[in-house]
Amino acid sequence: MRRKLPGDAPLSAAGPGHALSASAPSEVDLAQLSAAIAAGEDLGPFVRRAFACGRPEPLLASLRGAARDREAEIEELCRAHFHDFIRAVDDLRSLLADADALKGSLSASHSALLSSAAPLLASLESFLAARSLAGNLSSALASSRRCVRLLALAARANAHLQAGNHGLYLALRAVDAIDRDLASGPEPLPLPTLRRMLLSVVPAVRAHAEREISREFSDWMVSIRAASRHLGQVAISRSAAARQRQEELRSKHRPLEECITLDDDGVGDLDDFAAAAATAEAADGAAAASFDLTPLYRAMHIHQTLALGERFKKYYLENRKLQLTSDFDVIAATPFLESHQVFFSQIAGFFIVEDRVFRTGGGLTSRPDVDALWDAAVGKMVSVMEDNFSRMQTANHLLLITDYAALLSATMRRYGYPVGMLLDVLAKHRDKYHDLLLADCRRQVAEALTADKFDQMLMRKEYEYSMNVLAFGIQSSDITPAFPYVAPFSCTVPDICRIVRSFIEDSVSFMAHGGGGDTYAAVKKYLGRILSEVVDASIKKLLDSGSGLSVSQAMQVAANMSVMERACEFFTRHAAQLCGVPLRAVERGRRDFPLRRSRDAAEALLLRLLRAKVDEFMRQSDGINWMADDSPPGGNEYANEVIIYLETLTSTAQQILPLPVLHRVLVAVLAHISERIIELFLNDSVKRFNANAVTGIDTDLKMFETFAEGMSSLFVDSGQESAKNEMKAALVEARQLVNLLMSNSPENFLNPVIREKSYNKLDYRKVAIISEKFRDTSESYFSTFGTRGARQNPKKKSLDTLIKRLREAS
């Protein structure tokens, strides 16, 4: 402890809340500390101040002084009240006797009262006990009945819940009854535990029912999505079967359409057709009834019971929209060609289910909701088809998708869905499909022409004849030939016929099932395109390319073209039959031969090759002795070679070429020979010639004329009466020239009447040139036998006159 220094003041308290002063305690400080102690105030400030200053001794001294003062006060107080306390004790002792007397009196009164009221109290207590017991029993019985009823309802709800989802509705009815009893009862249940239990069971059962029915509905949504694909496939396959059945009935009925009137059998066929359509519709109805909607109806009923009907309708519609959107994703992972059937089947099954739900769902869906879903599906299908059709480069793939889309349209039309937009997309790509089909056919025709060696086709069996000839109506006779049979055409003809027939069938299939419009008119237009743009153009390209065809090959091509004329008639009839058009209408609407350009090109090529061959033989005319002393008895060598070649050619041509074609070819070849004979005289290498050379040319010409007459008899026998004159007319120019040179009066050429009658094919300029060459020879020939004064030869004089007049005319 710190020692007290001089000048330190004692502690003092300044009152409540004030610390003692740092100086020695004064009277005021002691009064303040005493007041604080008397008032029971906190002495903490005094203590903290004292210890903060480091001098607690004054505080302790002050506290001790205060304690001594209190003790003195207590002493004085006790001393002042001691006598009063003694007096009070004495008073209490005097009252004790009175209290005991009063107590005895009260006890006696109480005993008397009890003894007199004891029977009444006993009776009252018995009555009150009995009445309380009766009330308690009545209340207990009522509460028991209520509890039993509620417990029975709870037991019934539990039993229904244990029965599975089929008892959910009955369980909900039971808990609804419990809820109504708890809510509308006159008083709460006397058993709080039971009440709490029931109050917790009611929402639990409802939540359980909602949860279980939602789980069942979710399972049904999954199962119905899987079943929709199968349902769509079944419905579309039945549409395909119905379409096939209708086509069979139509083909069965088609012969009757050729008749002017229909008999009773025809009417029966029409009835069969209607029956087939009705059967298809009934089958579709059976397919629609094959799937189970009971879980959906149960879920709707339960949600309506839970007052959640509108929410369930919205939930169902949203989930079906999500399912439809996910169905669109089927084509995202795989190519459309591989997934289009699954895609269309899924959508078909989806809307077959929606149609059934709309008709039997009791307002679960509305017509605007279903139409909105269908519009979204149609928009997606249209977009997908247009996108894939625009990138598709194979006609068969386009036809495959188009055919299935058409079956989808036919199926959905039976359920009342509008399919106009789908059919419009199919019709929109009609030209592209046929362009792709034409490109495939063009490639196939080109391959067939390239692979053909243009030899006559050999058929060893009757089935080959039926497959390559009868199947296309290109036989020249109804009599079956003996086998092996050598056809007048090459293998290109049946190959092209198969290609065109396949094109017709594909075109009819596309137009009948998805092309829209007049099927036969469109098929006939595209048939004309394949014949003109593909077959005709391909053959003409082959002929124009100069691909090294020989005379026999060119002849075979020309023969093929004549057979193709009959094939084109078959194509028209086949297209009409597939489109259901009577053949009599086709006969009235026949058009020109569509392959005439390639036919003319084939004949032109054949003529060109024959002329080249004739020119090759005519080049041997260089061995002609134009100033021979004697005429060749058997004609010139070139003529014999040409005759042998023509006879060999015609013997082969008669077997494959039609007589009109052979006639045109021979006429053109003979006309070319006539021109070449004229050119022999006009050749610059021939400076002059004599009458013996003319006689040799005359012999050659007679050989050609004999050949022409022999061939003319063939054409006359076939009914072509004008063929003989035409064959002879082909050599008329050469014949008129030789006759003019051998005539004794060549100047008769100047006579218009005689010239028109006998020399109308001769050109006077050519006659002038040839006559001058013959004149020189005449002068040499006639000068041998005459003298200067002798009479001039009349033929020479006539020839000189002719030459002079022709010079003047030129």
Side-chain angles (χ1 to χ4, degrees):
M1 181 178 295
R2 188 175 65 87
R3 189 168 56 87
K4 183 176 180 182
L5 298 177
D8 288 341
L11 293 175
S12 62
H18 295 83
L20 295 173
S21 65
S23 61
S26 61
E27 295 296 332
V28 177
D29 293 333
L30 292 175
Q32 292 177 353
L33 180 60
S34 298
I37 293 171
E41 293 181 0
D42 186 15
L43 301 180
F46 297 97
V47 176
R48 282 193 296 269
R49 178 63 178 169
F51 281 95
C53 295
R55 291 190 298 272
E57 293 82 0
L59 176 63
L60 292 175
S62 300
L63 293 176
R64 291 190 186 98
R68 286 193 299 269
D69 294 340
R70 290 289 182 183
E71 290 177 357
E73 290 179 2
I74 292 172
E75 247 179 77
E76 292 178 0
L77 183 62
C78 289
R79 194 178 292 113
H81 295 283
F82 175 74
H83 296 286
D84 295 334
F85 179 72
I86 295 297
R87 284 193 297 272
V89 169
D90 293 337
D91 292 338
L92 288 175
R93 284 179 178 177
S94 61
L95 291 175
L96 180 60
D98 297 334
D100 289 336
L102 179 62
K103 179 179 177 182
S105 176
L106 289 174
S107 177
S109 300
H110 176 66
S111 298
L113 180 62
L114 288 177
S115 60
S116 62
L120 294 176
L121 290 175
S123 299
L124 179 60
E125 289 179 356
S126 299
F127 170 75
L128 293 176
R131 189 174 67 175
S132 175
L133 179 61
N136 290 338
L137 289 176
S138 299
S139 176
L141 288 175
S143 298
S144 298
R145 294 190 189 95
R146 184 179 178 188
C147 291
V148 168
R149 184 174 66 255
L150 293 176
L151 290 174
L153 291 174
R156 189 186 309 166
N158 189 39
H160 291 318
L161 291 177
Q162 290 178 353
N165 292 340
H166 298 283
L168 289 178
Y169 174 69
L170 297 177
L172 288 177
R173 291 187 60 183
V175 297
D176 285 343
I178 294 174
D179 190 34
R180 287 193 301 271
D181 187 278
L182 293 177
S184 60
E187 58 183 10
L189 285 177
L191 298 178
T193 304
L194 178 61
R195 178 178 175 85
R196 287 194 300 270
M197 185 271 291
L198 292 177
L199 289 176
S200 62
V201 163
V202 170
V205 170
R206 288 174 177 173
H208 174 76
E210 182 180 1
R211 185 168 57 254
E212 290 298 321
I213 202 64
S214 297
R215 182 182 298 110
E216 182 187 27
F217 175 71
S218 299
D219 295 340
W220 178 83
M221 290 288 286
V222 174
S223 64
I224 199 63
R225 183 182 183 186
S228 295
R229 180 180 303 175
H230 175 70
L231 178 64
Q233 291 173 346
V234 171
I236 292 177
S237 64
R238 286 176 175 172
S239 296
R243 186 177 69 183
Q244 181 65 27
R245 175 61 177 163
Q246 292 174 3
E247 291 177 352
E248 292 175 357
L249 290 174
R250 190 180 294 111
S251 62
K252 178 182 177 182
H253 186 65
R254 188 175 293 125
L256 297 176
E257 294 178 352
E258 301 299 327
C259 302
I260 298 177
T261 58
L262 294 173
D263 55 7
D264 294 338
D265 294 336
V267 175
D269 290 337
L270 292 176
D271 294 339
D272 292 340
F273 184 86
T279 302
E281 293 180 357
D284 287 339
S290 63
F291 55 92
D292 186 17
L293 294 179
T294 302
L296 175 64
Y297 299 151
R298 182 161 47 242
M300 179 182 176
H301 193 194
I302 294 300
H303 280 84
Q304 288 177 343
T305 303
L306 294 173
L308 301 175
E310 292 301 324
R311 191 181 75 175
F312 177 74
K313 291 179 182 180
K314 184 178 179 181
Y315 177 74
Y316 171 79
L317 185 60
E318 290 177 352
N319 277 271
R320 291 296 280 171
K321 287 181 180 179
L322 292 176
Q323 279 195 348
L324 182 62
T325 304
S326 63
D327 291 341
F328 294 155
D329 297 335
V330 172
I331 59 174
T334 56
F336 187 62
L337 180 64
E338 300 176 5
S339 61
H340 73 278
Q341 292 189 359
V342 174
F343 176 65
F344 288 142
S345 299
Q346 190 73 45
I347 292 179
F350 180 93
F351 284 100
I352 291 174
V353 172
E354 283 304 311
D355 177 74
R356 179 78 180 279
V357 171
F358 170 71
R359 289 186 291 105
T360 62
L364 177 59
T365 59
S366 62
R367 174 53 64 183
D369 294 336
V370 178
D371 290 344
L373 291 174
W374 175 248
D375 292 341
V378 169
K380 181 64 175 180
M381 288 188 289
V382 168
S383 175
V384 169
M385 285 193 294
E386 287 184 344
D387 178 59
N388 285 275
F389 285 171
S390 63
R391 293 183 283 106
M392 202 163 287
Q393 299 300 323
T394 303
N396 290 335
H397 296 170
L398 190 61
L399 177 61
L400 184 65
I401 296 174
T402 300
D403 183 67
Y404 210 80
L407 290 174
L408 170 69
S409 301
T411 302
M412 303 316 295
R413 186 188 291 115
R414 286 198 178 99
Y415 290 94
Y417 293 101
V419 295
M421 291 182 64
L422 295 177
L423 297 179
D424 290 343
V425 172
L426 302 183
K428 178 180 177 182
H429 292 83
R430 180 176 65 184
D431 289 337
K432 177 171 183 177
Y433 167 74
H434 284 90
D435 289 340
L436 293 176
L437 198 61
L438 289 173
D440 290 343
C441 294
R442 186 178 292 107
R443 176 183 53 80
Q444 296 173 13
V445 170
E447 292 175 354
L449 292 174
T450 303
D452 193 8
K453 297 180 180 179
F454 295 104
D455 297 328
Q456 289 180 261
M457 189 174 182
L458 176 63
M459 302 178 198
R460 301 183 182 278
K461 301 294 182 179
E462 184 175 356
Y463 80 89
E464 295 180 358
Y465 180 79
S466 176
M467 180 176 61
N468 295 309
V469 179
L470 297 180
F472 308 110
I474 55 178
Q475 67 274 14
S476 57
S477 174
D478 294 335
I479 300 175
T480 302
F483 297 97
Y485 168 68
V486 180
F489 50 83
S490 66
C491 62
T492 297
V493 172
D495 289 343
I496 292 178
C497 289
R498 272 187 283 271
I499 293 171
V500 176
R501 182 181 63 182
S502 177
F503 174 86
I504 294 172
E505 292 171 353
D506 290 342
S507 179
V508 170
S509 178
F510 184 91
M511 296 301 302
H513 304 148
D518 187 353
T519 301
Y520 178 65
V523 171
K524 184 170 65 174
K525 180 185 76 172
Y526 291 115
L527 174 60
R529 285 189 61 186
I530 188 176
L531 292 177
S532 60
E533 298 179 12
V534 177
V535 179
D536 190 42
S538 298
I539 297 176
K540 190 174 185 302
K541 180 180 179 181
L542 174 70
L543 298 173
D544 294 342
S545 63
S547 56
L549 295 177
S550 63
V551 173
S552 61
Q553 290 176 324
M555 186 185 303
Q556 187 62 65
V557 174
N560 290 348
M561 299 311 299
S562 63
V563 178
M564 288 301 297
E565 291 192 39
R566 296 194 295 272
C568 289
E569 296 177 359
F570 163 77
F571 298 148
T572 304
R573 293 195 304 271
H574 187 58
Q577 289 176 350
L578 293 179
C579 296
V581 176
L583 293 181
R584 60 179 181 271
V586 177
E587 297 292 335
R588 290 196 299 267
R590 281 186 176 179
R591 299 184 301 174
D592 295 336
F593 181 48
L595 307 180
R596 57 185 179 276
R597 292 190 306 162
S598 54
R599 178 190 63 189
D600 297 342
E603 293 184 13
L605 176 62
L606 178 59
L607 288 176
R608 188 164 61 252
L609 295 176
L610 289 176
R611 288 168 180 167
K613 196 68 176 178
V614 168
D615 291 342
E616 181 180 345
F617 290 120
M618 294 293 285
R619 292 191 190 98
Q620 300 178 11
S621 62
D622 295 342
I624 298 176
N625 188 356
W626 293 99
M627 300 299 295
D629 295 335
D630 296 315
S631 60
N636 294 295
E637 183 179 357
Y638 81 90
N640 292 314
E641 294 289 342
V642 172
I643 289 297
I644 293 173
Y645 177 74
L646 290 179
E647 289 177 349
T648 304
L649 176 71
T650 54
S651 64
T652 304
Q654 290 178 29
Q655 300 176 7
I656 60 175
L657 282 180
L659 291 179
V661 177
L662 179 59
H663 172 259
R664 290 195 298 269
V665 170
L666 290 178
V667 169
V669 170
L670 292 176
H672 181 69
I673 292 174
S674 177
E675 294 175 358
R676 292 293 291 153
I677 291 175
I678 299 297
E679 291 176 359
L680 289 177
F681 289 103
L682 295 173
N683 198 329
D684 294 338
S685 62
V686 179
K687 303 299 181 181
R688 57 184 181 173
F689 58 89
N690 58 17
N692 291 330
V694 175
T695 302
I697 297 298
D698 180 62
T699 303
D700 298 340
L701 195 56
K702 287 179 179 178
M703 294 170 60
F704 292 127
E705 290 175 343
T706 301
F707 171 78
E709 289 179 359
M711 295 305 299
S712 298
S713 62
L714 174 65
F715 299 125
V716 171
D717 293 340
S718 64
Q720 301 182 30
E721 299 295 338
S722 61
K724 183 176 181 179
N725 296 330
E726 292 179 0
M727 293 287 288
K728 292 185 67 175
L731 298 168
V732 67
E733 185 178 6
R735 169 51 61 194
Q736 289 179 1
L737 177 62
V738 171
N739 289 343
L740 178 62
L741 295 176
M742 297 180 66
S743 173
N744 291 327
S745 301
E747 64 178 340
N748 288 338
F749 180 77
L750 301 174
N751 188 331
V753 177
I754 297 175
R755 184 174 62 193
E756 182 64 27
K757 180 179 180 181
S758 303
Y759 308 110
N760 57 345
K761 299 297 182 180
L762 294 178
D763 185 357
Y764 74 93
R765 289 183 293 271
K766 295 179 181 180
V767 171
I769 296 172
I770 295 173
S771 297
E772 287 184 356
K773 295 181 180 183
F774 190 47
R775 182 196 64 173
D776 296 339
T777 307
S778 300
E779 289 178 354
S780 173
Y781 180 81
F782 290 113
S783 63
T784 307
F785 300 97
T787 60
R788 185 173 183 177
R791 187 172 62 86
Q792 188 177 10
N793 189 315
K795 182 175 181 178
K796 176 181 179 300
K797 182 180 179 181
S798 177
L799 186 61
D800 291 340
T801 303
L802 174 62
I803 293 171
K804 181 181 178 181
R805 296 285 298 276
L806 290 176
R807 283 178 177 175
E808 293 175 354
S810 60

